[in-house]
Amino acid sequence: MIVITSPGYISDEADKINSLFEVGIRRLHLRKPDATSEDVARLVAQIDEQWYDKISVHYHFDVAEAFSLGGVHLSGRTPDVPKRWMGLVSASCHTLEEIEQKKEGLDYCFLSPIFDSISKVGYGSAFSIEQLQVARDNQLIDSKVIALGGVSEENLDTIKKLGFGGYAILGALWRIEEKEKIAEYARKMISKW
């Protein structure tokens, strides 16, 4: 299970992130597209240091280096791995062709949207189940490909059957406000996987 942060700031975010690590999430993607590096650094400083190696950062690679975080996530805005970077490298893909082109040079990649997005209104699934089954059968979808987009407790079995190496969650988790309920939902998803 990989958790992607809400793009905006939420109340007690660092406490909620710590509680997610405590219940066993494997990785957190810190994605704050409109934030400054200083804002992101302030949030990271509030997260328990023991989890830093399990955090990947989008856009703010200077923060990843300053805090010795575990990974960077490439995008159109930040397409290059920092010089001398030794941590994990991931990227997002939105077509099966992108997976084919990028997968080998990455530790893992997201493929999205698999299902209709929960967090982005009107952002529907880009793939049929049949297309994903063919991609699995051709070993395009494998342990390095993480399902993203509309992931919830209800579709974990489908994700497993399609051969994904894991799943990333955003909307289904962050629509919950209370820290205890967020942790409980994450625990339930982890145990179901």
Side-chain angles (χ1 to χ4, degrees):
M1 177 178 189
I2 296 174
V3 171
I4 301 174
T5 61
S6 172
Y9 288 92
I10 59 174
S11 65
D12 303 319
E13 190 163 12
D15 287 341
K16 290 172 180 171
I17 289 169
N18 285 327
S19 73
L20 288 168
F21 280 121
E22 288 163 10
V23 299
I25 68 166
R26 303 211 49 200
R27 186 144 217 86
L28 176 92
H29 274 245
L30 196 79
R31 182 182 173 275
K32 302 288 182 187
D34 299 325
T36 65
S37 288
E38 292 77 19
D39 293 334
V40 174
R42 240 186 321 277
L43 175 58
V44 171
Q46 296 173 47
I47 298 170
D48 193 320
E49 232 177 284
Q50 69 176 314
W51 311 123
Y52 284 3
D53 66 329
K54 294 180 178 217
I55 297 174
S56 287
V57 71
H58 295 225
Y59 317 119
H60 304 94
F61 294 174
D62 55 332
V63 176
E65 291 175 316
F67 286 86
S68 299
L69 300 181
V72 294
H73 188 82
L74 306 180
S75 68
R77 202 164 113 186
T78 50
D80 300 315
V81 179
K83 287 181 174 35
R84 297 181 301 280
W85 179 254
M86 301 301 288
L88 296 176
V89 178
S90 60
S92 294
C93 297
H94 303 287
T95 65
L96 295 171
E97 292 76 20
E98 274 187 285
I99 293 285
E100 199 165 18
Q101 294 163 4
K102 294 180 181 179
K103 182 172 70 167
E104 291 312 311
L106 301 168
D107 291 291
Y108 62 93
C109 55
F110 296 143
L111 179 63
S112 73
I114 301 302
F115 305 104
D116 293 347
S117 177
I118 295 167
S119 61
K120 295 178 182 176
V121 179
Y123 194 56
S125 170
F127 311 95
S128 69
I129 294 297
E130 293 75 23
Q131 286 174 305
L132 296 171
Q133 288 169 332
V134 169
R136 174 203 60 206
D137 295 345
N138 291 327
Q139 299 177 339
L140 191 56
I141 292 176
D142 61 16
S143 62
K144 287 178 74 168
V145 182
I146 306 299
L148 172 63
V151 174
S152 67
E153 185 182 358
E154 293 75 33
N155 52 36
L156 283 185
D157 286 340
T158 302
I159 292 168
K160 263 197 262 189
K161 288 176 186 164
L162 289 169
F164 285 96
Y167 59 93
I169 188 166
L170 170 62
L173 189 71
W174 296 115
R175 65 183 175 186
I176 304 167
E177 292 188 23
E178 300 85 16
K179 178 174 88 171
E180 293 75 21
K181 289 185 178 176
I182 289 172
E184 180 184 318
Y185 188 78
R187 184 182 294 115
K188 197 185 313 181
M189 292 214 34
I190 291 165
S191 68
K192 189 170 183 176
W193 183 255

